[in-house]
Amino acid sequence: MKLWLLIAPMLLFSSPPARSHETRPAYLEIKETASGQYRMLWKRPILGEVALPLDLRLPGSCQDVEAPTRYATLGSLTERRVITCGEGLSGKTISIDGLEASITDALVRIQTGNGRTQTRLLKPASPSFVVPEARLFGGVAVEYVFLGIDHILRGIDHLLFVLGLLLIVANRWMLFKTITSFTVAHSITLGAATLGYASVSVPPLSAVIALSILFLGPEIVRQHDARYVRRDARYDMKDTGNEIRDAGSRIANHVSLTTRYPWIVAFAFGLLHGFGFASGLTELGLPRAEIPVALLLFNVGVELGQIGFLVMIFALDKSFRLLEIKWPRWVELVPGYAVGSLGAFWTIERTVMMLGVIK
């Protein structure tokens, strides 16, 4: 595949690499406990030791019933308040100042007294919204699906890992098994982590995910060399047994477990990537009764985002083939070295940050 010429720059520069798992969404929950009275939960992500500078703006008719309580939890600064809004929230504007200057989103969840829930995902381009009348389930479902799509498209390391798999696997049937294996694996750990059956600390997880990308770099180069060895062997092999055995030995030297059974490697690393996907939901602190539905819809969004990425890659690859662009042999080695170098950089950077050398 030559599509790396377009894909690699997009992945390298579209998002700060070390923040791919630290850009967790903010979370606002407002639950009506009595007519015009609400219990509020507001969580801001913490990067390093500093909470993101996000200021919640409620309608002017809303007042505190008692002083808010603030405390730090793992990865976020949490604030709880009880407020009264004499005119209710319907038709009123809720905004988050500072969101437009960030690279994160804010999930807003409002539950009315009759039990109806509405969810809205605020983004830097649209940091405010007017509270509508309670929506049906379909509207809420769309928000969770979009949250999953957004999470995978911002997970540059996830996408780079998928791209690395594509560069290793040439056979379409094997590629299907490899991607399916990755999907099944990350769905298992995504569900386990979100439902609270398993957990992994984010800093070491980010370092290991970077290590998985580093692992793919040499495999891409090895697979590239193997293709040329096979091609040269077809031209060089004579009828003598010794020359045939020599060509077979040269080919075997370029075959590894990853190139022979890529779906096994994809499954193993997919389990780790699933914990990374889970950070998009577990940090929200959703009510436990709502987690199964949110998990399902979020996972659907992740898969839709991944499928969209794969479709884009296949479309670009098709374009390159139709244009019949010929690249020098040394240029074709760049993808493997680029993936490996970027994986090495992320691994070192995240390991250093995990150990607390960089504050």
Side-chain angles (χ1 to χ4, degrees):
M1 290 187 180
K2 312 301 188 299
L3 51 92
W4 63 269
L5 287 172
L6 293 179
I7 298 294
M10 294 167 56
L11 296 179
L12 286 173
F13 301 113
S14 61
S15 178
R19 298 290 182 256
S20 59
H21 287 297
E22 296 179 7
T23 313
R24 296 177 293 274
Y27 179 63
L28 172 64
E29 179 182 278
I30 301 177
K31 181 180 296 186
E32 187 174 21
T33 56
S35 180
Q37 182 168 303
Y38 304 86
R39 186 169 63 247
M40 191 186 79
L41 171 66
W42 168 232
K43 300 176 70 173
R44 290 184 292 157
I46 294 178
L47 297 184
E49 297 179 352
V50 180
L52 288 183
L54 304 177
D55 293 323
L56 176 63
R57 300 296 182 186
L58 297 172
S61 60
C62 296
Q63 304 292 331
D64 287 334
V65 173
E66 54 189 44
T69 59
R70 299 181 179 88
Y71 54 92
T73 57
L74 181 62
S76 65
L77 181 63
T78 302
E79 176 182 309
R80 294 183 180 273
R81 299 163 65 179
V82 176
I83 60 175
T84 58
C85 302
E87 301 175 0
L89 290 176
S90 295
K92 301 298 188 299
T93 299
I94 294 177
S95 62
I96 300 177
D97 293 346
L99 190 64
E100 67 282 357
S102 70
I103 56 172
T104 190
D105 303 325
L107 183 66
V108 180
R109 181 178 182 274
I110 300 176
Q111 180 176 321
T112 60
N114 58 12
R116 290 195 172 185
T117 301
Q118 48 189 308
T119 306
R120 176 68 64 89
L121 183 65
L122 301 185
K123 307 178 76 64
S126 54
S128 64
F129 80 109
V130 177
V131 180
E133 296 293 334
R135 293 181 294 168
L136 298 177
F137 174 77
V140 178
V142 169
E143 297 294 346
Y144 284 121
V145 171
F146 276 131
L147 184 62
I149 295 175
D150 184 74
H151 190 75
I152 180 63
L153 294 183
R154 290 195 186 196
I156 303 303
D157 45 5
H158 294 305
L159 296 181
L160 194 61
F161 182 83
V162 173
L163 178 61
L165 293 176
L166 295 181
L167 292 172
I168 290 175
V169 184
N171 181 275
R172 289 300 173 92
W173 170 239
M174 181 61 73
L175 178 60
F176 172 78
K177 291 196 296 183
T178 301
I179 296 300
T180 301
S181 206
F182 180 70
T183 295
V184 171
H186 76 62
S187 297
I188 292 173
T189 47
L190 170 61
T194 306
L195 294 173
Y197 295 116
S199 64
V200 175
S201 178
V202 172
L205 173 65
S206 297
V208 174
I209 288 178
L211 187 63
S212 72
I213 299 171
L214 169 60
F215 174 84
L216 289 182
E219 295 298 330
I220 295 172
V221 175
R222 183 180 292 112
Q223 181 67 6
H224 173 270
D225 290 343
R227 293 191 184 104
Y228 275 94
V229 168
R230 293 189 188 97
R231 188 193 67 179
D232 294 342
R234 285 197 297 269
Y235 290 111
D236 296 340
M237 282 194 305
K238 307 300 181 181
D239 292 333
T240 62
N242 289 336
E243 289 174 333
I244 293 176
R245 284 193 296 271
D246 179 65
S249 177
R250 288 158 53 202
I251 294 174
N253 289 336
H254 290 81
V255 176
S256 65
L257 175 66
T258 303
T259 54
R260 186 175 298 172
Y261 305 109
W263 61 272
I264 295 178
V265 175
F267 185 86
F269 284 122
L271 294 174
L272 295 172
H273 283 251
F275 285 111
F277 292 137
S279 65
L281 275 181
T282 54
E283 291 297 327
L284 295 180
L286 295 172
R288 191 166 184 82
E290 191 173 316
I291 286 179
V293 174
L295 170 62
L296 173 63
L297 298 174
F298 181 83
N299 197 39
V300 168
V302 168
E303 292 310 313
L304 289 176
Q306 183 172 286
I307 291 172
F309 178 71
L310 293 174
V311 169
M312 180 185 68
I313 289 179
F314 290 139
L316 288 173
D317 182 51
K318 181 69 172 180
S319 300
F320 275 104
R321 294 181 186 277
L322 291 176
L323 293 174
E324 297 183 348
I325 298 177
K326 303 295 183 181
W327 307 102
R329 183 168 179 174
W330 68 267
V331 174
E332 297 181 0
L333 292 172
V334 174
Y337 287 105
V339 170
S341 299
L342 188 56
F345 173 75
W346 285 351
T347 301
I348 295 172
E349 181 185 37
R350 295 175 183 183
T351 301
V352 169
M353 295 181 66
M354 178 182 65
L355 296 177
V357 178
I358 295 179
K359 297 295 184 179

